[in-house]
Amino acid sequence: MFSAARRVGQIAHPTRISALHASTIHRGLLHTASRLRQTEAEAAMTQKLKTVFDTDDVRVEDNSGGCGSQYEVHVVSPQFEGLSKLKQNRLVTQALKEEIAQMHAIRVFTTAPKPNEST
């Protein structure tokens, strides 16, 4: 068992946490730390999508814990204006066809930029 301090009011009370809970916390901190930089695959897909859709508004995240089997992709591009969500998603999956062949799962989120509301 590990001990930790739990704050109640102005007094710190010691609390015991199980080794399992401690390892879960440790894994969470490691995952958070690893998310501070993109993996090579994330960077490559991000650059490819930025080029294909002529936008800087792209985010690619490895949701598999770093093994590269599951990704979440977000793209905002003017090329999506007037297209259905299905067509938008097909354009993204077509652009990443080779990369998707190596994945277990991908989630794609697309949208056209909102018009500026300046009056």
Side-chain angles (χ1 to χ4, degrees):
M1 293 289 213
F2 297 94
S3 90
R6 180 173 52 110
R7 204 159 192 43
V8 178
Q10 295 298 321
I11 303 169
H13 294 281
T15 304
R16 296 222 184 263
I17 55 177
S18 70
L20 176 62
H21 185 73
S23 74
T24 302
I25 292 170
H26 180 69
R27 279 194 313 267
L29 292 174
L30 287 177
H31 180 70
T32 300
S34 72
R35 297 307 314 145
L36 296 178
R37 63 180 181 83
Q38 279 190 319
T39 65
E40 287 181 31
E42 288 171 324
M45 284 188 279
T46 298
Q47 187 56 49
K48 187 176 207 176
L49 292 169
K50 283 181 175 184
T51 302
V52 169
F53 294 104
D54 193 28
T55 184
D56 287 330
D57 202 348
V58 173
R59 190 177 78 225
V60 177
E61 294 179 18
D62 181 349
N63 291 334
S64 62
C67 72
S69 66
Q70 180 177 337
Y71 289 90
E72 187 169 298
V73 176
H74 298 261
V75 182
V76 178
S77 172
Q79 292 182 25
F80 297 143
E81 283 187 38
L83 300 178
S84 68
K85 284 289 185 186
L86 180 60
K87 181 65 175 168
Q88 293 173 22
N89 282 292
R90 283 183 178 161
L91 290 172
V92 172
T93 56
Q94 183 63 34
L96 296 176
K97 186 177 182 177
E98 294 173 13
E99 293 83 353
I100 291 172
Q102 305 301 316
M103 295 178 199
H104 172 69
I106 186 168
R107 293 177 59 192
V108 178
F109 299 91
T110 57
T111 189
K114 294 183 174 138
N116 292 337
E117 297 179 358
S118 58
T119 54

